[in-house]
């Protein structure tokens, strides 16, 4: 069974600094999708960044980037120049392909605090 | 599109009562997911549908939980009878089938229903 592990229940970062949130996953598939979602206090789940497993180039979206290590099954999120609005719960997620179930699996989340 | 719409946003009920949560997915999406979020377990997949057909309900905790999708624009999650341990935030999400590259790969979530069973 696929599982997603976020080993850091809580993290904090000073405003304008950089923080990295870790995520590992377990799968026997060779192709899949990976995501990071942000959940602010409003509860809304917001897509931050995504990556295809067969593309080795790390995805980047403005201040957000990932370090994708397929062999290690690791998908960490780096937030640069942290802002107060980045404070939220962050979830790592994995999606199987339609021919292998097409399910989304989520980690337990990392609560990020940004210190002014 | 207005996004995934869930109702109600909040529900407080007494133990033993029936609770029905509702979801309207994004038009054109053919996958619908129900998740339960708690502090201890994060986001747990309860059940998901493809083209209105339940595909995997192995995450449904017990027979007190049931879900239906009578048509492409509506789904319900019912708990009968409800218990205090069912208190959580319940999310509905929908997605399309991936169509090449990163197109249509993400899940879109509703605002969730916070359920409190007292």
């Amino acid at each position: 069974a696929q599982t997603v592990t976020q080993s850091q229940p809580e993290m904090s970062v000073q405003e304008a600094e950089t923080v990295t949130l870790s995520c590992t996953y377990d799968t026997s598939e060779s192709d899949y999708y990976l995501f990071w979602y942000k959940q602010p206090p409003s509860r809304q789940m917001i897509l931050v960044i995504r990556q295809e497993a067969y593309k080795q180039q790390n995805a980047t979206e403005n201040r957000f980037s990932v370090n994708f290590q397929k062999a290690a099954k690791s998908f960490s999120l780096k937030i640069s120049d942290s802002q107060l609005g980045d404070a939220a719960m962050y979830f790592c997620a994995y999606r199987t392909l339609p021919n292998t179930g097409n399910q989304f699996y989520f980690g337990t989340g990392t609560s990020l605090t940004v210190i002014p | 599109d207005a996004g995934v719409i869930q109702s109600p946003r909040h529900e407080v009920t007494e133990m033993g009562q029936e609770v029905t949560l509702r979801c309207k997915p994004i038009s054109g999406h053919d996958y619908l997911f129900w998740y339960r979020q708690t502090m201890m377990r994060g986001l747990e997949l309860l059940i998901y549908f493809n083209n209105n057909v339940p595909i995997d309900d192995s995450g449904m905790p017990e027979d007190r939980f049931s879900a239906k999708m009578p048509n492409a624009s509506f789904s319900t999650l019912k708990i009968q009878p409800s218990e205090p341990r069912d208190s959580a935030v319940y999310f509905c999400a929908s997605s399309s089938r991936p169509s090449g590259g990163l197109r249509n790969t993400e899940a879109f979530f509703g605002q969730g229903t916070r359920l409190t069973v007292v």
Side-chain angles (χ1 to χ4, degrees):
Chain A
Q2 287 86 352
T3 58
V4 179
T5 301
Q6 294 179 248
S7 59
Q8 307 151 317
E10 297 178 346
M11 292 281 286
S12 62
V13 61
Q14 205 77 32
E15 193 175 4
E17 296 296 310
T18 295
V19 65
T20 298
L21 309 184
S22 65
C23 172
T24 58
Y25 55 94
D26 183 28
T27 182
S28 57
E29 304 298 328
S30 60
D31 202 8
Y32 43 87
Y33 303 99
L34 295 163
F35 308 85
W36 278 97
Y37 280 85
K38 170 185 177 181
Q39 186 183 43
S42 67
R43 274 201 330 244
Q44 184 65 50
M45 293 284 282
I46 302 165
L47 178 67
V48 174
I49 197 165
R50 53 188 164 175
Q51 171 95 33
E52 300 170 82
Y54 61 87
K55 284 198 172 178
Q56 288 301 304
Q57 185 175 3
N58 291 323
T60 299
E61 290 285 344
N62 301 313
R63 298 182 296 107
F64 298 87
S65 61
V66 297
N67 183 5
F68 174 46
Q69 301 290 327
K70 190 172 184 179
K73 298 179 183 175
S74 171
F75 185 63
S76 60
L77 174 70
K78 186 171 83 171
I79 306 174
S80 303
D81 185 25
S82 297
Q83 300 175 0
L84 295 178
D86 295 334
M89 183 74 80
Y90 286 81
F91 290 96
C92 178
Y94 163 104
R95 180 180 188 177
T96 57
L97 296 185
N99 62 350
T100 53
N102 198 55
Q103 293 191 28
F104 287 85
Y105 298 90
F106 286 81
T108 51
T110 296
S111 178
L112 178 67
T113 299
V114 180
I115 303 165
Chain B
D1 201 313
V4 177
I5 299 172
Q6 289 187 247
S7 64
R9 289 276 328 255
H10 305 275
E11 177 80 33
V12 180
T13 191
E14 291 185 348
M15 182 174 63
Q17 296 298 306
E18 177 180 296
V19 176
T20 299
L21 311 182
R22 297 172 174 79
C23 175
K24 176 178 169 35
I26 291 174
S27 177
H29 283 186
D30 43 11
Y31 291 92
L32 184 139
F33 306 84
W34 282 101
Y35 288 91
R36 179 171 66 178
Q37 183 180 18
T38 60
M39 287 295 294
M40 291 299 295
R41 303 175 71 117
L43 275 162
E44 299 175 274
L45 177 65
L46 300 177
I47 184 172
Y48 85 96
F49 295 83
N50 178 211
N51 293 323
N52 313 338
V53 176
I55 303 300
D56 186 351
D57 65 354
S58 60
M60 296 286 261
E62 44 198 279
D63 291 344
R64 298 184 297 105
F65 285 70
S66 63
K68 293 182 180 179
M69 193 166 185
N71 57 62
S73 59
F74 184 65
S75 176
T76 59
L77 178 68
K78 185 179 293 186
I79 308 172
Q80 166 64 21
S82 57
E83 296 182 3
R85 59 194 170 113
D86 301 331
S87 298
V89 178
Y90 291 81
F91 282 99
C92 174
S94 70
S95 75
S96 294
R97 184 183 180 91
S99 54
L102 286 171
R103 286 195 306 270
N104 299 321
T105 57
E106 73 268 37
F108 293 82
F109 283 77
Q111 292 274 62
T113 296
R114 179 176 295 281
L115 173 65
T116 304
V117 183
V118 297

